[in-house]
Amino acid sequence: MNKHYPYRNQQAEIPPDLNGLQPFIEILDYLITKAISSLQSREKTNTELQSSNFQPTEIPPETTSIQIREDSLLAWLQTTFNLSTFDLYILTIALTPELDKQNEQIYVYLQDDIKHKRPTVDLVFSLLCSSIPEKISRRKHFYSNAPLINHKLLHLSSEATLLSQHLILDSQIIRLLLNQNDLDFRLVSCCQLLEFTSNYEFTDNLYLQEDVQNKLQVLVKEQWQKQQPLLLYFQGSNGTGKCRTAKSIAQNLEISLLIADLAKFLEDKTNFDNKLQTLFREAWFFHRLLYIDNFDILYLQENKIYYQSFIKQLENNHSITILAGIENWIPTATDIKGVITIPFTIPESEQRQKCWINQLKAAEINLENKELEIISNRFRLNPEQIADAVATANNTARLQFKNQFKNQNGNNLFSHLCNAARAQSGHDLGNLASKIEPKYTWNDIILPKNQLTQLQDICKEAEYQNLVHQQWGFAEKLSLGKGLNVLFSGSPGTGKTMAAEVIAHNLQLDLYKIDLSQIVSKYIGDTEKNLNRIFTAAQNSNAILLFDEADAIFGKRSEVQDARDRYANIEVGYLLQKMEEYEGIAILTTNARSNMDEAFERRLRFIIEFPLPDKNQRHLIWQKIFPKNAPCNPDLDFEFLAQNFEITGANIRNIALSAAFLAADDGGTIEMVHLIRAIRREYQKMGQILRDKDLGDYLGLR
């Protein structure tokens, strides 16, 4: 940024000298008056016109060397873009139709063409050049490398000959010289301009730590006062306060904020470079803080060419610019130097709790301290999401109860808040995994006491994670492994997925099942990319990840015999790393624990074996498998079923459902005959033979 740049007050009126233009306008008026007089004289005398409509009028010698006010915008333009005095005359001629519409009629008259409301190159030469040799020499001012053209301050129309081309002054130059502070029309579709408002205050705490926030404000203000360029990169997930912090900085500088969405820029890729130049110049010319969102979209392979264009523009950056993205800044040999990265993360539990308190207080909602602690610890939401969750829960309550939220009982209140908080997360996981709606509770699952206790311990660890890690300081001792990774091992149908649902239901968190077939790829590098996307999305989604049949991807590393073996081992190593970095809950299931990599097992908080149910457990499962509204015959022999059929809970569920459909087609009451028929069908499906002696007294039932 040129330190002599004079444009400081955005509300400034146009000075009497028209930002330095007045001397040029006066001379131009003199030249035009002389030209009109010449034409009128010729018309009166019916003198035949020669090579032009009027004779060129030589610029008076006393005005050829104009003293431009040093602090004027015109002087700044001249110095910044290395413009000659002749260039300034060209600029003035092109600007005059914007000053007075009558000038269009004057140009039509001088050029003797109704289509020529704008000055042409020929008119410039006619007004400013006294001879043909001078006209020829002045053509260089319209070459592609000429300052006015090269810097795109002036555009020429596409007529066949240079002399016939119209002068079109760039809209930014027009607005700059005329002190017009509206947003350039070329940027309206992809940018937003927030004007400085002196009476606006941010009522919410920023998401940065206070010391970081203060240092950032000081740094930016110092660079602004020195009029030195500065490039910041705000890195973090959406909703972590990046844009809000930029607004605060702009307010502190008492300037407007220009917000650009790079994703929208790329919707018109043919015009990308031109619009990008317009964007940077808009911030530079009009002293605006530039905030460019979605920068990391340029990291995509299909956008590499646009990434290079963007970096090239940044290399000529003249002002303070803030880039924002989710991915980390990737320095390369072509990048500019001196980029300062400011990380934005989800607020810690204590900070989230303060946000919940503020939003609940504003909505006149009271929560028990215990519930407040649970909801702030359990859901890793940013302040904007918390505000939305409170508003959503309040509106939901009003819809259901036609009453104020604050008048409901505590259980309903807390439940609505949890549901609303859950709705704020998981959006990024929707395309990567299948969401499971948890239906099962502790009353539904039948397991040995030891396994059931371990499941309850998992929920307790999740509940007290913040207390132990943050308040008690264990997080300072752990660089990795802050998450809760567990393994469920056992035969199919023993309740592993059900247990995951019970945990999710108890913690009131979403459960996402990862389809490993969509993750594992035969192409080198794709598996890691897929997993990285999943863990990144999960980190911001407050969800439980369920990796079913995890041994398919977390299996033992093999002896390296070829390149594929070597890469497979790299995959396992990468997965171990991501699991250690993940701070959420991840549940893995396997039917064959022996296939799991030992290094991976060491990184697990819990390993729970799910055995086949014994007789007593099967009896309980049979009793609980039927819904309370199911029309069951009171004489159903659950004792016999538990004693004679050594099957899993999943098998029992399938049998009960099949029997229900058979009963629906046979009178509407579930009888033993329907259960026996369903058992036969289930055994056939499993490829097993149902012996007659297993049926006992029910052998005759078909």
Side-chain angles (χ1 to χ4, degrees), residues 348-594:
E348 296 295 339
S349 177
E350 183 178 353
Q351 202 172 352
R352 294 199 300 271
Q353 188 167 333
K354 292 180 180 178
C355 291
W356 277 106
I357 292 173
N358 292 337
Q359 294 298 331
L360 292 171
K361 183 179 179 180
E364 299 182 8
I365 301 171
N366 296 316
L367 270 189
E368 299 287 338
N369 289 337
K370 181 65 174 178
E371 293 175 332
L372 181 62
E373 185 177 341
I374 289 174
I375 201 169
S376 59
N377 293 341
R378 189 168 293 169
F379 299 100
R380 299 180 71 251
L381 304 180
N382 60 58
E384 292 178 8
Q385 291 174 313
I386 292 173
D388 195 12
V390 172
T392 300
N394 198 1
N395 291 333
T396 301
R398 292 180 180 183
L399 177 66
Q400 293 183 357
F401 297 92
K402 300 180 181 180
N403 202 350
Q404 293 293 327
F405 193 29
K406 60 183 178 181
N407 294 330
Q408 296 179 54
N409 64 69
N411 290 333
N412 281 336
L413 186 154
F414 183 65
S415 177
H416 282 305
L417 285 172
C418 288
N419 291 336
R422 218 170 26 250
Q424 292 294 323
S425 57
H427 306 297
D428 295 333
L429 269 172
N431 299 326
L432 304 172
S434 301
K435 185 177 180 179
I436 299 176
E437 293 291 341
K439 301 294 185 182
Y440 299 111
T441 67
W442 294 114
N443 294 326
D444 298 309
I445 192 166
I446 307 297
L447 285 173
K449 184 178 180 180
N450 179 54
Q451 281 79 355
L452 195 61
T453 300
Q454 290 189 74
L455 292 179
Q456 292 169 343
D457 288 343
I458 292 173
C459 294
K460 291 177 182 178
E461 284 210 12
E463 182 177 350
Y464 296 111
Q465 202 169 28
N466 178 72
L467 175 65
V468 174
H469 284 168
Q470 303 301 328
Q471 298 184 35
W472 290 3
F474 275 83
E476 299 176 2
K477 302 290 185 179
L478 300 171
S479 56
L480 297 172
K482 300 177 186 178
L484 189 54
N485 302 321
V486 302
L487 175 67
F488 294 166
S489 174
S491 302
T494 52
K496 301 185 295 296
T497 302
M498 176 185 280
E501 289 192 44
V502 170
I503 292 173
H505 188 277
N506 179 261
L507 297 176
Q508 299 194 49
L509 295 175
D510 287 331
L511 178 65
Y512 283 87
K513 183 178 180 180
I514 310 302
D515 187 355
L516 291 174
S517 65
Q518 299 297 318
I519 294 177
V520 180
S521 174
K522 65 179 180 180
Y523 298 106
I524 294 178
D526 279 3
T527 301
E528 288 97 324
K529 290 180 182 178
N530 293 337
L531 273 155
N532 185 60
R533 290 172 59 207
I534 286 181
F535 281 109
T536 300
Q539 195 68 44
N540 302 319
S541 299
N542 311 292
I544 299 175
L545 295 181
L546 176 62
F547 291 88
D548 200 17
E549 299 182 7
D551 51 293
I553 191 169
F554 295 95
K556 289 182 177 179
R557 283 170 279 195
S558 60
E559 181 180 350
V560 177
Q561 297 181 352
D562 54 28
R564 179 59 202 173
D565 290 338
R566 183 163 53 254
Y567 181 68
N569 290 342
I570 292 174
E571 284 182 342
V572 175
Y574 179 80
L575 296 177
L576 294 177
Q577 173 191 334
K578 298 304 293 185
M579 291 294 295
E580 284 192 312
E581 293 174 353
Y582 184 54
E583 297 185 5
I585 302 175
I587 300 175
L588 300 95
T589 71
T590 178
N591 302 328
R593 180 182 170 184
S594 59

Side-chain angles (χ1 to χ4, degrees), residues 26 186 340:
E26 291 175 355
R186 293 166 292 188
I340 301 175

Side-chain angles (χ1 to χ4, degrees), residues 95-109:
L95 180 65
T96 50
E98 302 290 340
L99 301 177
D100 190 341
K101 191 173 177 62
Q102 187 178 359
N103 288 324
E104 290 185 351
Q105 301 301 319
I106 292 174
Y107 287 146
V108 167
Y109 177 71

Side-chain angles (χ1 to χ4, degrees), residues 97-133:
E98 302 290 340
L99 301 177
D100 190 341
K101 191 173 177 62
Q102 187 178 359
N103 288 324
E104 290 185 351
Q105 301 301 319
I106 292 174
Y107 287 146
V108 167
Y109 177 71
L110 291 176
Q111 297 173 112
D112 195 26
D113 193 332
I114 190 65
K115 298 179 181 178
H116 290 344
K117 294 182 180 181
R118 298 280 171 169
T120 61
V121 174
D122 183 60
L123 180 62
V124 171
F125 291 160
S126 297
L127 289 172
L128 302 179
C129 301
S130 58
S131 65
I132 291 180

Side-chain angles (χ1 to χ4, degrees), residues 167-179:
L167 310 185
I168 305 170
L169 200 60
D170 191 83
S171 64
Q172 282 181 324
I173 302 299
I174 297 173
R175 291 167 47 242
L176 180 68
L177 293 172
L178 300 184
N179 287 22

